[in-house]
Amino acid sequence: MILRPAIRAELPAVLALLADEGQVVDPATIVVTEAYERAFAAIADDPRNEVLVLVDGGPVLGCLQATYIPGLGKGGAERALIEAVRIRADRRGSGLGRELMERAVARARERGCALVQLTSDKRRTEAHRFYASLGFARSHDGFKLNL
């Protein structure tokens, strides 16, 4: 298993994972719009952002986006924000999610981050149990404002 930054050719596979977490979506059915192209290029060009993929010599099995945020808290250390965590629906329950997250946390630690944070939809109770099993604690309430 390899965790590495996604390449442009994998964008449809990443979008397929994000499209429906309940079933496997064929990347060939994904329409990569100009907005997705711009977003992927912006992430790839920004040293504080990365889309990471978990691969094993075949299709993309998992993905997440990590954003490294400088801050004055925690002694001026960076924090990592992890979002859009997905494992292929037909591979859930096999330990890939744990491997994906443990490697992402290790990557943040190697970068010098003092904290890893994430958000998860309140309805995803299984995901919440999973994150708790990795040592994540519910410490804050989050708020969003759609613009």
Side-chain angles (χ1 to χ4, degrees), residues 15-51:
L15 295 174
L17 289 174
L18 297 174
D20 188 340
E21 64 182 295
Q23 63 182 347
V24 176
V25 175
D26 181 356
T29 66
I30 297 296
V31 175
V32 179
T33 65
E34 186 177 322
Y36 286 133
E37 292 282 5
R38 278 193 313 271
F40 187 82
I43 292 165
D45 289 343
D46 184 345
R48 295 197 179 280
N49 275 287
E50 54 189 359
V51 173

Side-chain angles (χ1 to χ4, degrees), residues 95-99 101-102 105 118 124-138:
L96 290 178
R98 180 168 299 279
E99 188 163 345
M101 288 298 295
E102 286 176 349
V105 168
L118 57 85
R124 299 184 69 217
T125 56
E126 288 182 37
H128 303 165
R129 282 191 293 275
F130 168 68
Y131 294 132
S133 79
L134 292 171
F136 285 83
R138 290 177 182 242

Side-chain angles (χ1 to χ4, degrees), residues 3-7 10 40 50-53 107:
L3 179 68
R4 61 165 171 71
I7 60 173
E10 294 165 328
F40 187 82
E50 54 189 359
V51 173
L52 299 174
V53 291
R107 194 172 178 99

Side-chain angles (χ1 to χ4, degrees), residues 68 78-80 101-116 134:
Y68 304 102
E78 282 186 325
R79 67 185 60 213
M101 288 298 295
E102 286 176 349
R103 289 185 183 200
V105 168
R107 194 172 178 99
R109 186 176 286 116
E110 290 166 8
R111 187 180 167 104
C113 292
L115 175 73
V116 176
L134 292 171

